[in-house]
Amino acid sequence: MSRRALITGITGQDGAYLARLLLERGYEVHGMVRRSSSDRCERIAEIRDRLHLHPGDLIDQSALTRILAKCQPQEVYNLAAQTYVGASFSQPTMTAEFTALGVTRMLEAVRQVDPSIRFLQASSSEVFGGTQEDPQNEKTPFWPRSPYAVAKVYAYWITVNYRESYGLFASNAIMFNHESPWRGSEFVTRRISQGVAKIKLGLADCLELGNLDAQRDWGFAGDFVDAMWRILQADTPDDFVIATGVRHSVRAFAERAFARVGLDWEKYVRVDPARLRPVDVPSLRGDASKAQRVLGWRPTVTFEPLVDMMVDADLAALSREHSLSHREQSP
Ligand code: GDP
């Protein structure tokens, strides 16, 4: 009998990578998807017929219980959330509802339906926000700096609490930023790679960004979903920082991305003050030595190949789209 896993947020970047990894490892993969017209399934379109999708929502306790009872997974990966820091400032209570309380609902469902289920909570480096410690590890005190980060701190602790209170195998992956060609276009890396592709093809003449000085520890999403899987295969539940340990600025990301297509970033990038956040997280860098030691996990994709991969993918996709629409227009 193959193992069964349930992924919430399966239509997102990480869900799409994790679903593929679990299929490759012989899992029966179930996914929870919101019944929403705006929900897009393109990241899982190619594997759609190998997945079992269930309509459900982190807001709906009875749906979570019903889905768990129906698919009887041994592993649950909770990736669904309102994941965008910027939007959390304008939608703070909605963010708390999904990103914080949604986790409690899922843990409650696990506890009631089958407490032997292993539970992975996708935590975030944003919990460290304003910290002065560098790099950040599992012992670094939290200092959340956005409604999103505050919700993720709650989510972290409720996961620990269900582990301590009820003995659940519940673990946190405290993941630093991780990117890919499937990253949502509201995040800065994808905004840059799409902007570069548009400029290169003559479809735009500039790219507006916010804080260019912000520094992040950017890794590859494909590496990070492997870490999530390893966390649930460990002997005991625990919390792990997942990061590359290397940090770059938004400016450096833009510089590399423009250079990939032979352009000088300074000619095209403009700072739009409207894109600055009420407070920003200036710099994050993770120390994943515990994950390396206990799980044998190590990132395989470094910064430059990651930027190049994203720019190349957007350039190819946009060229295809563009030449198709040209062909349709010509008689
Ligand atoms: P986050 O680390 O989860 O907030 O990931 P983002 O990719 O959204 O943002 C990373 C950093 O890039 C933050 O410090 C942002 O303030 C900064 N940044 C600069 N310009 C932009 C922009 O145009 N969009 C976004 N999303 N972030 C930007």
Side-chain angles (χ1 to χ4, degrees):
M1 270 274 282
S2 60
R3 287 180 74 73
R4 282 179 304 279
L6 172 70
I7 304 173
T8 72
I10 195 167
T11 58
Q13 167 188 264
D14 292 1
Y17 277 103
L18 181 62
R20 282 169 173 79
L21 176 137
L22 294 176
L23 285 172
E24 274 166 27
R25 296 188 179 164
Y27 279 72
E28 181 180 305
V29 179
H30 295 254
M32 187 174 90
V33 286
R34 271 182 304 155
R35 257 197 232 282
S36 143
S37 54
S38 65
D39 247 7
R40 292 145 58 117
C41 289
E42 71 239 16
R43 296 183 183 99
I44 53 168
E46 271 174 29
I47 52 168
R48 172 68 191 83
D49 56 351
R50 298 166 67 196
L51 302 173
H52 306 261
L53 298 183
H54 307 268
D57 198 308
L58 284 180
I59 209 126
D60 183 356
Q61 180 77 63
S62 65
L64 302 182
T65 310
R66 192 183 60 244
I67 292 169
L68 282 189
K70 192 169 169 207
C71 63
Q72 299 189 340
Q74 287 90 20
E75 297 172 15
V76 169
Y77 296 85
N78 189 42
L79 313 185
Q82 192 299 97
T83 58
Y84 180 38
V85 173
S88 78
F89 286 99
S90 50
Q91 296 179 293
T93 53
M94 186 273 268
T95 300
E97 198 59 71
F98 288 98
T99 306
L101 279 184
V103 184
T104 310
R105 294 192 191 96
M106 198 42 141
L107 285 162
E108 260 306 292
V110 167
R111 188 170 80 85
Q112 286 170 21
V113 175
D114 176 5
S116 74
I117 291 172
R118 294 184 170 208
F119 178 85
L120 187 285
Q121 169 59 19
S123 185
S124 162
S125 56
E126 289 291 317
V127 297
F128 299 122
T131 188
Q132 299 296 310
E133 280 183 29
D134 174 51
Q136 299 90 48
N137 64 24
E138 293 80 4
K139 297 201 166 66
T140 305
F142 294 165
W143 184 352
R145 297 249 286 178
S146 63
Y148 166 81
V150 173
K152 281 289 186 187
V153 170
Y154 173 96
Y156 173 93
W157 283 116
I158 200 70
T159 301
V160 173
N161 184 256
Y162 270 61
R163 178 166 83 219
E164 292 176 351
S165 305
Y166 307 114
L168 294 191
F169 193 112
S171 301
N172 283 290
I174 309 172
M175 291 181 281
F176 282 63
N177 296 49
H178 45 289
E179 321 295 312
S180 75
W182 284 334
R183 186 60 145 150
S185 29
E186 62 272 28
F187 292 87
V188 73
T189 54
R190 189 74 197 287
R191 190 171 160 74
I192 294 172
S193 63
Q194 286 182 323
V196 165
K198 279 189 202 147
I199 291 170
K200 181 69 184 171
L201 295 176
L203 303 170
D205 51 19
C206 75
L207 170 62
E208 289 182 334
L209 296 174
N211 180 7
L212 300 180
D213 296 321
Q215 295 182 313
R216 291 290 182 277
D217 178 337
W218 281 297
F220 171 53
D223 284 339
F224 280 51
V225 298
D226 176 50
M228 296 184 207
W229 178 79
R230 286 170 188 254
I231 290 173
L232 288 198
Q233 314 313 309
D235 293 337
T236 48
D238 204 347
D239 309 310
F240 296 92
V241 160
I242 306 299
T244 72
V246 184
R247 154 178 66 202
H248 293 90
S249 65
V250 170
R251 182 180 289 101
F253 196 105
E255 192 175 346
R256 173 78 193 187
F258 277 92
R260 178 69 177 169
V261 297
L263 298 176
D264 175 4
W265 74 280
E266 283 185 290
K267 290 197 180 126
Y268 301 96
V269 171
R270 296 202 190 122
V271 173
D272 173 8
R275 303 196 71 83
L276 301 172
R277 295 174 180 174
V279 285
D280 205 358
V281 169
S283 177
L284 291 172
R285 182 165 71 103
D287 165 12
S289 47
K290 178 176 168 187
Q292 190 175 324
R293 194 177 65 250
V294 179
L295 308 171
W297 179 81
R298 230 182 250 269
T300 65
V301 180
T302 54
F303 179 72
E304 287 81 8
L306 176 64
V307 180
D308 295 353
M309 179 201 310
M310 293 179 71
V311 171
D312 294 355
D314 274 322
L315 198 55
L318 206 58
S319 311
R320 248 190 334 265
E321 233 173 77
H322 197 49
S323 67
L324 265 182
S325 70
H326 261 280
R327 229 175 292 151
E328 275 161 17
Q329 276 162 18
S330 41

